[in-house]
Amino acid sequence: MTIPPLFFALLMWFIGTGAVVWLDSRPRHTFKTSHQLAGLVAVLAMAVVYAKGNDTSWQGAYIGFGAAILIWGWHEMGFLMGFVAGPRHSPCPSGAVGWDRFKLATATVIHHEIALATNLLVLVAITWGQPNQAAPLTFALLFALRLSAKLNLFFGVPNLSDEIFPAHLAYLKTYFGKKSISALYPFSVLACIAVTYWAWTSAEAAATNSGPAVTATLLAGLAALGLVEHIFLVLPVRDAKMWRWASASKPTPPTAAKAATIE
């Protein structure tokens, strides 16, 4: 049962990210409808998580993992479409440094972080005391990986990969750190490796073909993907090119992209 869960984790990550990129690259007048429909899917997914809380089978693990990915995708759409980001929508002042810069940067995304944390608490609550913890564990891991990536972008990484930011969120780029590796980065990489190892050994220790074994394998695959995404932050490659196939719009010309950043 090792290969199928790993392939499923990769497939869900690839298709889920591609779907969000496609929907976010469509005309802005479609955003509201897309986000509302995705919200309905997220609510249904949470209902499924609640219904499958007592399911200890390998099928239950797949369902919980898939439901968490769907819920996460809704939150990502809300952020990238500009519905749930933060109260601040302006570029970072040129003189802002240290703690002041951190507070300003936090104000640009704090509503999104609160929404994610709240949803995680809801998932924990509706599965409290239940054996199937695939959904809350998956969502918690996604939350931790995304928070780590955001902090590394703030403190600075060589490869910012800012091409995926839509024009209406271009101001966020001004809060990114210098193109150098910060002290946080090695700890983030080590944490990804540690979680991958822990999940993998947990899968090996669990009964074969059981729900816990599949859940742990799925988490190991997701943590490994998170590690790869962190490595992309320092490699001289443009990983955003990977998602051009999913974009519903043509690439923005360099002059237009520069103008959007300035605005």
Side-chain angles (χ1 to χ4, degrees):
M1 288 293 290
T2 300
I3 300 301
L6 292 177
F7 179 75
F8 185 76
L10 176 61
L11 188 65
M12 287 294 295
W13 169 80
F14 190 76
I15 294 178
T17 303
V20 172
V21 169
W22 182 74
L23 289 169
D24 185 55
S25 63
R26 299 184 69 217
R28 292 196 68 178
H29 67 80
T30 66
F31 285 5
K32 184 177 180 180
T33 300
S34 296
H35 191 243
Q36 289 176 340
L37 291 175
L40 178 60
V41 171
V43 171
L44 293 175
M46 283 190 279
V48 170
V49 170
Y50 176 76
K52 290 292 182 177
N54 201 38
D55 189 347
T56 59
S57 68
W58 61 267
Q59 297 98 324
Y62 279 114
I63 292 172
F65 181 86
I69 296 295
L70 290 174
I71 298 168
W72 182 266
W74 173 56
H75 283 283
E76 284 300 286
M77 287 174 60
F79 176 70
L80 291 173
M81 291 178 176
F83 293 124
V84 185
R88 184 175 179 83
H89 303 95
S90 56
C92 182
S94 58
V97 295
W99 179 245
D100 288 336
R101 176 170 163 265
F102 182 80
K103 289 191 295 183
L104 291 171
T106 300
T108 64
V109 297
I110 189 62
H111 292 165
H112 183 232
E113 303 306 319
I114 292 175
L116 290 173
T118 301
N119 205 148
L120 176 58
L121 290 176
V122 171
L123 288 173
V124 170
I126 64 177
T127 59
W128 188 262
Q130 299 298 315
N132 186 359
Q133 293 293 309
L137 287 175
T138 299
F139 200 90
L141 180 56
L142 287 169
F143 190 17
L145 290 172
R146 179 49 54 87
L147 185 60
S148 174
K150 285 180 178 178
L151 287 173
N152 276 287
L153 285 172
F154 172 78
F155 288 114
V157 288
N159 181 16
L160 298 178
S161 297
D162 54 8
E163 302 97 327
I164 62 172
F165 276 84
H168 56 273
L169 293 179
Y171 63 90
L172 291 175
K173 301 177 187 180
T174 64
Y175 294 89
F176 292 172
K178 297 180 180 179
K179 291 189 175 183
S180 60
I181 298 177
S182 70
L184 174 65
Y185 182 78
F187 292 98
S188 297
V189 171
L190 288 174
C192 288
I193 294 174
V195 173
T196 303
Y197 177 78
W198 166 79
W200 187 263
T201 54
S202 297
E204 291 185 331
T208 305
N209 296 340
S210 66
V214 172
T215 296
T217 306
L218 289 167
L219 293 175
L222 190 60
L225 287 170
L227 174 61
V228 171
E229 289 189 332
H230 276 71
I231 292 175
F232 272 132
L233 293 176
V234 298
L235 293 180
V237 294
R238 312 310 294 177
D239 56 307
K241 293 181 180 180
M242 186 189 312
W243 307 109
R244 284 184 179 176
W245 63 271
S247 178
S249 60
K250 296 180 179 180
T252 304
T255 53
K258 183 177 180 180
T261 303
I262 295 175
E263 294 173 2

